[in-house]
């Protein structure tokens, strides 16, 4: 609950209760162990509710301070770290990545062949920092299991979530693999943001995790967000679930014994953070405020405006056939760390041109709508994020509550 009268924020109290009923229904039907929804409008929290269990076996309640794995919602925070260095004049967005990471100097692109012999050609141009921010670098993810290049990532142990190797070592392994496409030619979700985390470390001279904590998380007051859950916060850490073959919830990653309970050799800028919904709502408000929150400015307003603009020639669907994304492709573009709504009619979902968003593997998501001065955070713990249509349903319910 909040102390703010929703009507003062242009929200209908009765329609907000539809969101509450929707949340309860998913828990009561056994489709989600628990979930929370937070959103802010005009600088104030207009809705903050949680239902269900954070851990069914231990009968722990899912509440507004529950800590979850945010996975790919780490990416926008890493992108902010990159842009902070950009503002310091450390590089330009069209600089070749190899200026800082020489291993990427002579990249090749896969064009055919088989597992025995992969056919490649030289990259037509270098990978740029902007390519990494927009997922147009030609890199990929091994878990997609769709291409020969994906297979090479698996063969060489390129997994920023589970590896026991260092961030620098994994990025060096990435540089040795061929690209999936020519730089700038296609939109492909990838380890690009993990590479950006290493770039932050190289340019700043600080370990990436230290830079993110000291320069981004702490200044924004995101005190429950980190690459691992501290011992004194473990009672608030949720279990992560998946559906078994009968459609029943089963534990995917226990809240006790999870790899997220201790620091790891690799800190994943693409998907390594845990945190709370109120913390992430603070990040969303920081973006809404064009780089400032509660008197703390991390980015200039023009830099944020550049980040939330579409940097693709059109939508993601026009740049090849994306194999996986935390967003729809049609009517949706991509900025520097966020998806960007271009055309709600083409995307076939209610929304506003210019809103930015992203989500995480375990059914977390957020969106920020500057035109409506609105930010929404949805937290659950169910893998994969495509298992239930909760993101799209929440968008409809939320926009239906706007009545001003």
């Amino acid at each position: 609950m909040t102390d703010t009268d929703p009507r003062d924020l242009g929200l209908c109290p009765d329609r907000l209760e539809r969101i509450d009923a929707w949340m309860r229904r998913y828990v009561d039907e056994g489709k989600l162990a628990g979930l929370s929804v937070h959103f802010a409008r005009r600088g104030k929290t207009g809705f903050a509710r949680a239902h269900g269990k954070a851990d069914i076996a231990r009968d722990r309640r899912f509440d507004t301070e529950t800590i979850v794995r945010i996975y790919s919602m780490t990416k926008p925070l890493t992108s902010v770290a990159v842009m902070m260095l950009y503002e310091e004049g450390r590089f330009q967005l069209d600089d070749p990545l190899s200026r800082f990471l020489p291993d990427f100097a002579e990249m090749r692109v896969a064009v055919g062949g088989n597992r025995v012999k992969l056919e490649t050609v030289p990259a037509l141009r270098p990978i740029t920092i902007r390519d990494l921010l927009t997922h147009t670098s030609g890199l990929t993810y091994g878990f997609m299991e769709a291409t020969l290049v994906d297979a090479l990532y698996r063969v060489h142990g390129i997994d920023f979530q589970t590896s026991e190797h260092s961030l620098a070592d994994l990025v060096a392994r990435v540089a040795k693999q061929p690209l999936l496409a020519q730089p700038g030619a296609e939109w492909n979700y990838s380890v690009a943001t993990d590479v950006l985390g290493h770039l932050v470390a190289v340019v700043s001279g600080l370990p990436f995790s230290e830079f993110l904590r000291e320069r981004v998380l702490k200044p924004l007051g995101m005190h429950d967000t980190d690459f691992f859950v501290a011992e004194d916060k473990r009672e608030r850490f949720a279990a992560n679930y998946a559906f078994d073959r009968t459609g029943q919830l089963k534990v995917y990653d226990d809240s006790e014994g999870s790899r997220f309970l201790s620091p790891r050799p690799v800190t994943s800028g693409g998907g390594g953070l845990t945190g709370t919904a109120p913390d992430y709502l603070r990040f969303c408000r920081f973006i809404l405020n064009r780089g400032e929150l509660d008197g703390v400015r991390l980015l200039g307003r023009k830099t944020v405006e550049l980040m939330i603009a579409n940097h693709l020639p059109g939508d993601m669907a026009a740049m090849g056939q994306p194999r996986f994304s935390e967003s729809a492709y049609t009517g949706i573009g991509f900025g520097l760390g966020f998806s960007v709504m271009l055309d709600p009619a083409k995307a076939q979902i209610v929304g506003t041109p210019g809103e930015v968003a992203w989500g995480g593997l375990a059914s977390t998501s957020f969106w920020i709508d500057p035109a409506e001065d609105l930010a929404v955070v949805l937290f659950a713990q169910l893998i994969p994020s495509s298992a239930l249509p909760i993101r799209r349903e929440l968008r409809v319910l939320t926009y239906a509550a706007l009545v001003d």
Side-chain angles (χ1 to χ4, degrees):
M1 302 296 291
T2 70
D3 295 329
T4 305
D5 187 335
R7 288 167 290 198
D8 293 338
L9 305 180
L11 301 167
C12 173
D14 292 338
R15 287 174 173 251
L16 291 179
E17 292 307 315
R18 294 179 183 177
I19 300 175
D20 192 85
W22 169 82
M23 297 170 69
R24 290 178 183 274
R25 185 168 63 251
Y26 266 108
V27 172
D28 292 345
E29 292 177 355
K31 294 179 179 178
L32 288 173
L35 74 164
S36 68
V37 173
H38 292 65
F39 58 83
R41 197 168 194 224
R42 299 172 184 166
K44 296 182 179 180
T45 301
F47 188 91
R49 308 272 182 97
H51 292 294
K53 302 295 183 182
D55 189 319
I56 296 171
R58 298 175 181 87
D59 196 32
R60 292 177 183 163
R61 186 168 59 94
F62 201 116
D63 62 30
T64 57
E65 298 295 332
T66 292
I67 297 172
V68 307
R69 305 150 191 80
I70 69 171
Y71 287 116
S72 287
M73 283 171 60
T74 306
K75 289 180 171 70
L77 287 156
T78 301
S79 300
V80 164
V82 171
M83 298 307 288
M84 290 172 70
L85 294 173
Y86 168 73
E87 283 197 335
E88 293 176 5
R90 304 293 191 96
F91 50 75
Q92 292 298 300
L93 297 180
D94 56 358
D95 278 349
L97 175 63
S98 58
R99 175 186 166 193
F100 302 95
L101 306 182
D103 287 346
F104 288 89
E106 302 291 338
M107 299 303 293
R108 297 186 68 84
V109 180
V111 294
N114 52 46
R115 288 178 180 268
V116 177
K117 185 177 181 181
L118 191 66
E119 297 176 6
T120 66
V121 298
L124 297 176
R125 67 163 176 81
I127 296 171
T128 67
I129 295 171
R130 178 180 172 276
D131 290 332
L132 294 174
L133 286 162
T134 58
H135 290 287
T136 57
S137 63
L139 302 178
T140 186
Y141 267 124
F143 72 80
M144 294 190 192
E145 301 186 2
T147 71
L148 293 174
V149 180
D150 299 346
L152 285 174
Y153 276 47
R154 298 193 299 277
V155 167
H156 293 283
I158 300 171
D159 186 338
F160 289 85
Q161 292 296 308
T162 62
S163 178
E164 294 300 321
H165 295 277
S166 70
L167 178 59
D169 180 62
L170 283 180
V171 171
R173 294 185 187 199
V174 171
K176 290 182 173 67
Q177 312 312 315
L179 299 176
L180 195 64
Q182 290 286 348
E186 296 181 5
W187 191 94
N188 286 296
Y189 203 37
S190 74
V191 299
T193 316
D194 290 293
V195 175
L196 285 172
H198 183 49
L199 175 70
V200 168
V202 169
V203 172
S204 70
L206 296 173
F208 170 61
S209 58
E210 182 179 341
F211 186 97
L212 201 69
R213 287 189 193 104
E214 299 302 322
R215 297 285 304 275
V216 180
L217 299 176
K218 286 184 179 179
L220 291 181
M222 300 175 67
H223 301 302
D224 285 326
T225 302
D226 207 335
F227 288 101
F228 71 99
V229 180
E231 188 170 356
D232 62 348
K233 299 179 181 181
R234 291 182 181 180
E235 287 292 316
R236 292 193 280 140
F237 187 42
N240 198 6
Y241 295 89
F243 288 128
D244 64 19
R245 292 182 178 179
T246 68
Q248 301 298 306
L249 291 174
K250 65 176 182 179
V251 174
Y252 178 87
D253 182 39
D254 198 3
S255 63
E256 297 184 9
S258 171
R259 60 184 172 84
F260 288 98
L261 295 179
S262 59
R264 298 186 58 77
V266 60
T267 48
S268 170
L273 286 174
T274 62
T276 64
D279 270 14
Y280 211 89
L281 193 62
R282 289 187 64 79
F283 172 71
C284 293
R285 289 175 54 212
F286 157 76
I287 296 296
L288 270 180
N289 291 343
R290 298 296 197 275
E292 180 273 336
L293 182 65
D294 295 341
V296 175
R297 179 167 291 281
L298 301 186
L299 289 173
R301 65 177 180 85
K302 296 299 291 186
T303 302
V304 175
E305 289 169 6
L306 181 66
M307 292 182 72
I308 65 177
N310 181 35
H311 285 250
L312 306 183
D315 61 11
M316 288 192 285
M319 295 197 69
Q321 295 294 322
R323 298 162 297 143
F324 174 82
S325 171
E326 295 291 351
S327 166
Y329 315 133
T330 303
I332 307 290
F334 208 84
L336 304 180
F338 310 87
S339 64
V340 182
M341 174 68 78
L342 302 178
D343 188 332
K346 288 184 178 179
Q348 299 186 53
I349 188 68
V350 63
T352 308
E355 69 182 42
V356 295
W358 207 241
L361 179 64
S363 301
T364 60
S365 68
F366 76 95
W367 79 91
I368 300 167
D369 187 335
E372 295 288 351
D373 198 5
L374 174 73
V376 182
V377 176
L378 166 64
F379 272 9
Q381 292 288 267
L382 177 69
I383 281 184
S385 57
S386 59
L388 296 171
I390 55 176
R391 296 172 177 175
R392 294 176 68 84
E393 290 174 352
L394 180 60
R395 290 177 65 88
V396 175
L397 288 160
T398 301
Y399 279 117
L402 301 186
V403 293
D404 58 347

